[in-house]
Amino acid sequence: MEPGPNRLVEMAHIAREHFINDVPMVELAARTGMSRFRVARLIAEARDLGVLRISVGAPHALGRDDVAELRRRYGLRDIRCVTMPEGDSDPRSLRSALGRAAAEYLQAQVRPGEVLGFASGRTLAAIPEHLRELPQCDVVQLTGLAGPPGETAGDLVRTVSAISDGEPASLYVPLVASDAEAASMLRRQPGVAETLERMGDVTRAVLAVGSWNPIVSQLAESISEDAAGGLIAGGVRADVAASLFDASGGRISALDARTIAIPFDQLRAVPEIVVVAGGAEKHSALRAVLLAGFVTTLITDRISAQALLAESR
């Protein structure tokens, strides 16, 4: 006997709640007043009658050979790759997806007693919304303040240290000072000097990538257009933690005297350096940073990974 329309609607509702909204069968039974056996039977009937169709699509993740090639080409130990829904070109969606991947990485990899370091970056600001727990560890701010309120490295450090139940080491100073003398004075302030000293304890640094051509960089946006244009003319294509790089990964020290951030030599010595970046606007900048040879883990999107592979080949 064919089920009536009411029963078909009931099947569709139960199947949707279980498979789309992740509601457990026990909870569905409690909500509807059914037994969990009836819930299971409705799901089975929905599948048999074609009300529920389950399909497993071909994965869009990178293949083993591609992962191995990226590791070999850029000296990486680990690669995490997200796949965006087809047609979704919203940068906010990508930042959220990368933030989720970074949060999952941290929850899986961080061990008690580590010292985490975070630089500034819009993508990194998306991490806390997905970060549920961390082992106890202190958190150090690696760059001065840049970006809008709520999205600065200082906000990130405070939130993550609360989750990890660790001590925050913050920098309540701008990312870029007006000149070298002002930057030197800021670095000598007691609170700033203490945080700069703690940077030497960092065991795992989490960094974003800034692009200078096109300009998608909090560092570039922190200086005048003329100054940024001069640096671009001088070959700057990317920044990480206030360190500048040309297209081939070479270091450019033009802003070092004015920035309040972890020195590059110290950053390069951190045991684990995680870069979280993606999107078409960042392809060239991301490649430049990876060519510098200091990154150990890359968290990016599939299209960016494929662009890196195309460049390397």
Side-chain angles (χ1 to χ4, degrees):
M1 180 183 295
E2 290 291 327
N6 289 339
R7 189 169 179 81
L8 289 172
V9 169
E10 191 176 46
M11 288 179 194
H13 171 72
I14 292 295
R16 183 183 300 109
E17 288 297 292
H18 182 60
F19 288 100
I20 302 299
N21 297 326
D22 294 325
V23 180
M25 289 188 190
V26 173
E27 186 175 336
L28 274 172
R31 287 186 188 180
T32 59
M34 303 177 189
S35 70
R36 60 188 178 90
F37 300 105
R38 176 174 173 144
V39 169
R41 187 165 60 250
L42 283 171
I43 290 174
E45 287 181 23
R47 184 176 59 244
D48 293 341
L49 293 170
V51 174
L52 167 66
R53 296 183 180 91
I54 299 174
S55 62
V56 179
H60 294 289
L62 295 179
R64 288 185 180 181
D65 290 345
D66 289 340
V67 170
E69 171 64 12
L70 281 174
R71 285 177 172 169
R72 184 200 66 77
R73 177 66 180 83
Y74 298 109
L76 298 167
R77 297 175 192 161
D78 195 4
I79 299 170
R80 306 292 174 95
C81 191
V82 304
T83 299
M84 300 302 296
E86 188 174 349
D88 187 350
S89 58
D90 187 343
R92 293 170 298 182
S93 298
L94 177 57
R95 287 197 291 268
S96 180
L98 291 173
R100 179 189 295 274
E104 291 172 352
Y105 163 85
L106 291 171
Q107 289 172 163
Q109 298 297 321
V110 173
R111 299 292 177 260
E114 283 200 47
V115 179
L116 300 181
F118 286 91
S120 61
R122 298 178 183 89
T123 302
L124 302 188
I127 293 175
E129 64 182 288
H130 305 291
L131 193 61
R132 301 292 174 256
E133 60 181 3
L134 279 177
Q136 195 283 326
C137 55
D138 294 343
V139 186
V140 179
Q141 186 176 334
L142 300 179
T143 56
L145 300 175
E151 296 184 5
T152 68
D155 298 309
L156 179 59
V157 164
R158 283 193 298 274
T159 305
V160 174
S161 62
I163 294 171
S164 71
D165 196 28
E167 290 294 327
S170 302
L171 287 172
Y172 297 107
V173 291
L175 176 60
V176 186
S178 57
D179 53 44
E181 184 177 352
S184 179
M185 181 183 68
L186 289 171
R187 293 190 197 101
R188 291 196 299 270
Q189 292 183 2
V192 177
E194 290 171 8
T195 297
L196 290 172
E197 186 173 352
R198 284 237 62 192
M199 290 177 185
D201 300 329
V202 171
T203 58
R204 196 182 302 263
V206 184
L207 316 172
V209 170
S211 168
W212 286 64
N213 188 21
I215 292 181
V216 189
S217 162
Q218 290 183 337
L219 178 58
E221 294 165 2
S222 299
I223 62 178
S224 69
E225 287 187 19
D226 288 345
L231 289 168
I232 293 169
V236 173
R237 292 295 178 268
D239 70 76
V240 167
S243 289
L244 302 176
F245 301 89
D246 64 21
S248 62
R251 270 276 287 134
I252 296 177
S253 59
L255 273 183
D256 287 3
R258 290 179 54 193
T259 53
I260 295 89
I262 184 170
F264 180 65
D265 286 345
Q266 195 170 33
L267 175 64
R268 188 169 52 187
V270 174
E272 294 290 338
I273 299 177
V274 184
V275 158
V276 188
E281 295 174 319
K282 297 285 184 78
H283 287 175
S284 296
L286 180 55
R287 180 176 181 271
V289 169
L290 293 178
L291 286 173
F294 64 96
V295 179
T296 60
T297 294
L298 172 63
I299 299 175
T300 190
D301 63 287
R302 180 176 58 89
I303 293 175
S304 296
Q306 289 173 334
L308 291 169
L309 284 166
E311 289 281 355
S312 68
R313 285 169 183 159

